[in-house]
Amino acid sequence: MKPIALALTAALCALTPASFAAEASFDAKSSKPAAFKFERKERVAKPAAEDDRLWITATVSGASGRTAVVNAGISIEEIAADSVGGVGNARMTQRLTRLGIPFKAVPLAQRFHAEDFPAEDAAFHNYQRLTADLQGLVAASGGLASLFSIGGGWQGDKQIWCLRLNTTAKGEEKSNKPAIVYMGTHHAREHLSTEVPFLLAKYLVENRDKPEIAGLLAKRDVYIIPMINPDGAEYDIATGQYRMHRKNTRDNGGGSVGVDLNRNYGYHWGEGGSSGEPDSDIYHGPSAFSEPETQAVKKFVEDRLDTLKILLTFHSFSELILYPWGHKNGPLDDTKAQTAYETLAKTMAQWNGYTPEHSSDLYIASGDTTDWAWGAHKIFAFTFELTPKSMWDGGFYPGAGAISSTFAANLKPALYLLDLADDPYRASAPLGLTRAQPSNPTTGGR
Ligand code: 0X9
Ligand code: ZN
């Protein structure tokens, strides 16, 4: 087990608004954005003077018990057979008391011992390195890759970069080829979910001349957006020690920072498993798509509705393959789609060893990316909860040692979806007709 490094209270107190602003302008200067589409807003969130967050262990079992805990405003991070652990505050524990749910609560900083940033975690991409390395991939791609910004974050000084792989169209040019989008790091502290889509981009660029990869790339329009929440990701590491930050960096006032971007999408927004309280880790924001980050994704997707068939959003952790619905229990009414989702998820699970299930089997949550993509636009949408399985194995901070193995485990699922982006229903077509024959990236067997 790898220890988790956190220094929450110290970190929050050490970061003055002035130092944060100085760091932000450094990033803006060094990153040389290709398309700077917005004004800097000078709305840097002020850190809370005190961190009143609690680690809450509640005695519940089953998805309905977990949903009751989420509905109290607590973000569940650890699931055991008869209990869950997660982040909340004293007001939320009062709700558990009223519901008769037994719990224990300790200060979050006490639950995670403060340690130095592990030296090996320098391998993770911060915003600046990601910007440089994406630009490097474009330069090394022989004309295959292009880079553009889909918008900016709350603070307005960072771009949400999108790397595109298309043998003919570049940047934001239209293409008739079937499209797929991979995303990472909606949630600030889930840094491994930046690495996996980045490494997928790198793999595709470096192997672009291998027949099996060249064949795939020739017929597809591939978009990779590794860091949807650059402000939050930087905020999480800005002090050199992890702060366990989940949301973006909207200044909610009263010292509370951030909106949960994975509760801010506009399909059944504001319903179960999200909170209207700004200090909740699952705060859904003041309105659907209130945040620039989700607005950027919305525009990106809606500009490509005629060709975009599959969306895969990487999160961490728990080793799950999740698919709609998440805002309500039960299968999709559309049985053909339900069968396709099940086949896709089970097939991918054979390769990465993750557990395939409806998002709502984890817990009900409204306003997430995949419910919106499917509900509003019928784009096949999956959430992968990456390694590790549990908080005890490193949780959000599994260490750099997890990067390459997690990418390797998810490469074949990612290529499988890429192949199926013309028609995801091919996955459940009878064998011998149009059923997908997944590629084998190690042997080139397709
Ligand atoms: O709660 C989330 O947003 C996701 N888990 S995470 O630990 N990465 O925060 C899961 C979203 C799954 N969707 C639903 N249950 N609706
Ligand atoms: Zn997440």
Side-chain angles (χ1 to χ4, degrees), residues 70-71 73-75 92 187 246-248 250 252 256-295 365-368:
V70 170
N71 280 335
I74 296 162
S75 78
M92 295 163 193
H187 288 142
R246 171 179 170 92
K247 302 185 283 181
N248 72 355
R250 173 192 273 268
N252 296 322
S256 121
V257 176
V259 166
D260 183 351
L261 298 178
N262 213 30
R263 299 292 182 278
N264 190 240
Y265 286 84
Y267 190 76
H268 288 263
W269 174 86
E271 295 184 9
S274 67
S275 171
E277 296 170 332
D279 64 350
S280 167
D281 253 7
I282 48 171
Y283 175 43
H284 52 47
S287 57
F289 291 116
S290 56
E291 304 310 292
E293 296 89 349
T294 50
Q295 276 286 339
S366 314
D368 79 1

Side-chain angles (χ1 to χ4, degrees), residues 58-349:
T59 308
V60 289
S61 58
S64 60
R66 293 193 287 273
T67 294
V69 172
V70 170
N71 280 335
I74 296 162
S75 78
I76 292 179
E77 314 301 353
E78 175 77 12
I79 298 177
D82 58 359
S83 69
V84 295
V87 179
N89 60 29
R91 196 176 61 252
M92 295 163 193
T93 63
Q94 287 162 11
R95 292 183 188 133
L96 296 183
T97 304
R98 282 201 291 277
L99 290 167
I101 296 175
F103 67 89
K104 285 188 186 137
V106 296
L108 190 59
Q110 184 181 313
R111 170 68 167 67
F112 301 100
H113 300 289
E115 289 179 14
D116 286 341
F117 193 101
E120 69 272 22
D121 278 10
F124 283 88
H125 283 83
N126 61 18
Y127 172 77
Q128 192 187 349
R129 251 194 84 212
L130 179 69
T131 303
D133 284 358
L134 288 173
Q135 289 167 346
L137 282 185
V138 173
S141 75
L144 171 69
S146 54
L147 190 64
F148 62 98
S149 166
I150 66 164
W154 171 257
Q155 288 168 217
D157 63 338
K158 301 180 198 72
Q159 309 288 324
I160 303 172
W161 293 118
C162 180
L163 189 92
R164 183 185 195 182
L165 303 173
N166 186 310
T167 52
T168 46
K170 307 297 160 209
E172 297 180 79
E173 285 169 15
K174 287 247 176 253
S175 169
N176 292 328
K177 295 177 183 177
I180 181 168
V181 60
Y182 304 89
M183 299 176 182
T185 304
H186 272 75
H187 288 142
R189 61 196 169 195
E190 297 171 12
H191 303 287
L192 190 58
S193 76
T194 298
E195 301 308 314
V196 170
F198 172 78
L199 285 177
L200 175 63
K202 186 165 182 277
Y203 175 88
L204 291 171
V205 166
E206 289 176 350
N207 292 281
R208 66 188 180 279
D209 293 329
K210 289 195 175 151
E212 68 278 11
I213 299 300
L216 271 180
L217 291 172
K219 58 184 185 179
R220 296 286 175 265
D221 196 12
V222 182
Y223 296 92
I224 299 175
I225 313 176
M227 197 182 274
I228 295 288
N229 181 10
D231 292 339
E234 287 290 282
Y235 184 82
D236 191 52
I237 59 170
T239 64
Q241 291 174 311
Y242 295 128
R243 311 164 101 171
M244 191 78 171
H245 188 71
R246 171 179 170 92
K247 302 185 283 181
N248 72 355
T249 60
R250 173 192 273 268
D251 184 354
N252 296 322
S256 121
V257 176
V259 166
D260 183 351
L261 298 178
N262 213 30
R263 299 292 182 278
N264 190 240
Y265 286 84
Y267 190 76
H268 288 263
W269 174 86
E271 295 184 9
S274 67
S275 171
E277 296 170 332
D279 64 350
S280 167
D281 253 7
I282 48 171
Y283 175 43
H284 52 47
S287 57
F289 291 116
S290 56
E291 304 310 292
E293 296 89 349
T294 50
Q295 276 286 339
V297 174
K298 180 175 190 291
K299 181 165 189 328
F300 169 84
V301 167
E302 291 179 353
D303 283 350
R304 293 165 180 80
L305 284 180
D306 46 345
T307 54
L308 186 59
K309 296 283 179 288
I310 300 185
L311 179 156
L312 170 53
T313 177
F314 293 104
H315 282 251
S316 71
F317 59 91
S318 289
E319 300 190 354
L320 302 171
I321 295 176
L322 303 175
Y323 50 93
W325 297 119
H327 73 282
K328 67 172 183 183
N329 287 314
L332 303 175
D333 290 338
D334 178 341
T335 51
K336 188 180 168 215
Q338 172 69 27
T339 304
Y341 266 114
E342 278 174 15
T343 310
L344 288 159
K346 278 185 194 153
T347 304
M348 294 189 286

Side-chain angles (χ1 to χ4, degrees), residues 19-36:
S19 68
F20 203 175
E23 179 197 77
S25 68
F26 170 75
D27 270 342
K29 262 185 261 158
S30 59
S31 63
K32 295 193 191 77
F36 208 78

